[in-house]
Amino acid sequence: MAKPLTSHRPLLAVSLKLSALVLFTLMQALVKVLSADFPTGEMVFFRSLFAVPIIICWLLYRRELSQGLVVKKPMGHFWRGVLGTSAMFLTFTGLSLLPLPEVTAIGYATPIFTLILAALMLGERIRMIRIGAVAIGLLGVLIMIWPRLGGNNLDTAATIGALCVLAATIARGFVQIHIRQLVQVDHPAAVVFYFSITATLLSAVSAFWGWIMPTWEQALILVAMGLLGGVAQILVTSSYRYAQASMLAPYDYTTMLFAIVIGYIWFDELPTLVMLGGAALVIAGNVLVILRERQLGLDRGKDKSVTDPKA
């Protein structure tokens, strides 16, 4: 769905990215608010369904709807939808069982798992710097989830929640691998559009296991979840038109600040020092990967300037 960089406007790019991250965090907070009253499948359905009109309107505005309807690898989109919907189910379940900042922190492990899966599935070479980054990141994940896996005061619900969020990060790693493959043959607009449709249809199946009729107030919150998710997707996509991904990636970690503030105000939640320490290691590992990717990008640019006569 993203177009190549159209102009370098870093302030606008950062503003769009931060706005998207605030909306994503608010969406997760709304999920947490409703999690005690609604099945996870019903929340995933509303989150997916009401993002669809936002995405369609955006594609119409960008004149990309026709490109978003044509695919060459339909089964690839199906499996991307299955994995993405599974990740959403697992994340929403985790939000019902864990503090918002903790869910946010564990979610930072997604790039680490993506790097591992890229090496295993795509044969990408990982050199020492990125191996070190993976090791640091995995250590941080272990530190964060260890209190949920043992001890005298083991909380079974919290343990299940931590494992669900961890499984969601791995599923999102698989999603990233699928997206890398799909965008080689299909337009990014198709990836976004068909994921929203697939997630809506898959989550609708959960109605057979029981849904709850919402009140008007609850229905508005459910609809708001989908609208926030759709608008946030558009904002984050738009941000990459005005700045490189490597420049914007570190701003993802501002979601911890948003999650701490919202978690404290809405749910009286505060992160533990152990969780913050583990999150710091995961972030450090990810930043190391970002810096390495930026360096590799500069090296590729130098190579291109020598070998490409059009440069």
Side-chain angles (χ1 to χ4, degrees), residues 21-264:
L21 295 175
V22 170
L23 294 184
F24 275 131
T25 308
L26 285 173
M27 183 201 73
Q28 290 189 321
L30 294 181
V31 171
K32 191 168 181 63
V33 167
L34 295 176
S35 61
D37 300 317
F38 291 92
T40 300
E42 186 171 355
M43 292 190 292
V44 172
F45 174 79
F46 277 90
R47 158 66 180 91
S48 305
L49 177 64
F50 285 95
V52 171
I54 299 293
I55 293 170
I56 290 176
C57 289
W58 180 242
L59 293 177
L60 285 171
Y61 171 75
R62 294 282 297 276
R63 298 180 181 178
E64 294 179 348
L65 184 60
S66 59
Q67 296 168 305
L69 297 176
V70 179
V71 296
K72 296 179 180 178
K73 295 182 65 175
M75 287 307 298
H77 289 273
F78 171 76
W79 288 115
R80 182 266 185 269
V82 170
L83 289 167
T85 306
S86 299
M88 201 182 302
F89 265 90
L90 290 165
T91 300
F92 284 15
T93 301
L95 284 165
S96 69
L97 300 172
L98 290 177
L100 179 60
E102 189 168 349
V103 173
T104 302
I106 297 174
Y108 290 153
T110 295
I112 299 296
F113 288 119
T114 302
L115 189 61
I116 295 171
L117 292 170
L120 295 175
M121 298 175 62
L122 303 181
E124 293 186 5
R125 298 178 65 184
I126 301 180
R127 298 186 184 276
M128 289 305 299
I129 293 179
R130 288 193 284 183
I131 291 175
V134 168
I136 293 171
L138 291 179
L139 177 61
V141 171
L142 182 61
I143 290 173
M144 283 190 289
I145 67 173
W146 187 255
R148 302 300 189 185
L149 301 180
N152 296 325
N153 298 318
L154 184 64
D155 185 338
T156 303
T159 299
I160 294 173
L163 292 176
C164 283
V165 179
L166 183 61
T169 64
I170 297 173
R172 284 197 292 269
F174 279 105
V175 167
Q176 294 301 317
I177 298 301
H178 272 273
I179 290 176
R180 289 188 191 182
Q181 295 173 322
L182 287 173
V183 295
Q184 301 300 315
V185 294
D186 289 328
H187 195 278
V191 178
V192 174
F193 177 77
Y194 281 103
F195 167 67
S196 299
I197 297 298
T198 305
T200 300
L201 295 176
L202 290 176
S203 58
V205 175
S206 68
F208 291 104
W209 288 271
W211 278 13
I212 295 174
M213 181 62 68
T215 65
W216 281 108
E217 182 180 19
Q218 291 171 329
L220 288 175
I221 297 175
L222 287 166
V223 172
M225 282 165 38
L227 296 178
L228 286 174
V231 172
Q233 181 65 55
I234 289 171
L235 291 176
V236 75
T237 300
S238 299
S239 69
Y240 293 113
R241 300 179 64 198
Y242 302 108
Q244 296 294 339
S246 60
M247 192 207 89
L248 292 173
Y251 289 95
D252 287 332
Y253 305 115
T254 60
T255 53
M256 178 55 72
L257 298 176
F258 305 145
I260 290 173
V261 172
I262 294 173
Y264 179 72

Side-chain angles (χ1 to χ4, degrees), residues 275-303:
M275 189 273 286
L276 289 176
L281 285 176
V282 174
I283 292 172
N286 286 336
V287 170
L288 191 58
V289 172
I290 292 168
L291 293 175
R292 179 57 177 163
E293 289 297 324
R294 181 178 294 178
Q295 181 60 50
L296 290 174
L298 291 174
D299 291 343
R300 293 187 195 106
K302 292 176 182 177
D303 291 342

